[in-house]
Amino acid sequence: MPRTALRTAVAVAAAVLSTPLWGSAAQADPVVPRHAVVICQSASFYADYDSARGPVGLKRVLGPGDKIGHTPGAHPVYNGWAASFDFGPNDWGYLRIECIGGYDSW
């Protein structure tokens, strides 16, 4: 291999190897939750979900018809507890997925 070709190959290899394999940090665009309502007689709304303990930090109890938001496929659901947005005081929390319904009804 001629000296110039060898230098070019080494330079290309060095450039490829010095480029981080992971690229830039991934960041998802925020997803506005779809409008929905509580369809249960009462739904406990928790501050967080712990994989070892389940829902933690009861914030309040929501009633039927309370305006909430959740986007299936975009917001997580852990063991039936869905990340949801309460449009009343405008905060995030977790409530049972079966208590979310009436999507796009308001």
Side-chain angles (χ1 to χ4, degrees):
M1 181 178 267
R3 193 182 269 287
T4 304
L6 180 61
R7 284 186 183 161
T8 303
V10 169
V12 169
V16 169
L17 292 175
S18 66
T19 304
L21 297 176
W22 57 88
S24 62
Q27 183 174 355
D29 290 331
V31 176
V32 177
R34 283 179 58 193
H35 289 177
V37 294
V38 174
I39 58 172
C40 294
Q41 288 298 327
S42 66
S44 299
F45 189 67
Y46 288 89
D48 202 2
Y49 184 85
D50 182 311
S51 62
R53 297 183 295 162
V56 293
L58 179 65
K59 287 184 167 190
R60 61 190 154 277
V61 176
L62 303 176
D66 282 351
K67 294 179 179 181
I68 57 172
H70 174 78
T71 302
H75 297 131
V77 177
Y78 305 110
N79 294 321
W81 292 92
S84 305
F85 189 78
D86 183 358
F87 283 99
N90 295 328
D91 61 350
W92 285 93
Y94 289 84
L95 63 102
R96 294 295 302 172
I97 189 71
E98 63 267 15
C99 290
I100 301 173
Y103 283 99
D104 304 320
S105 62
W106 58 279

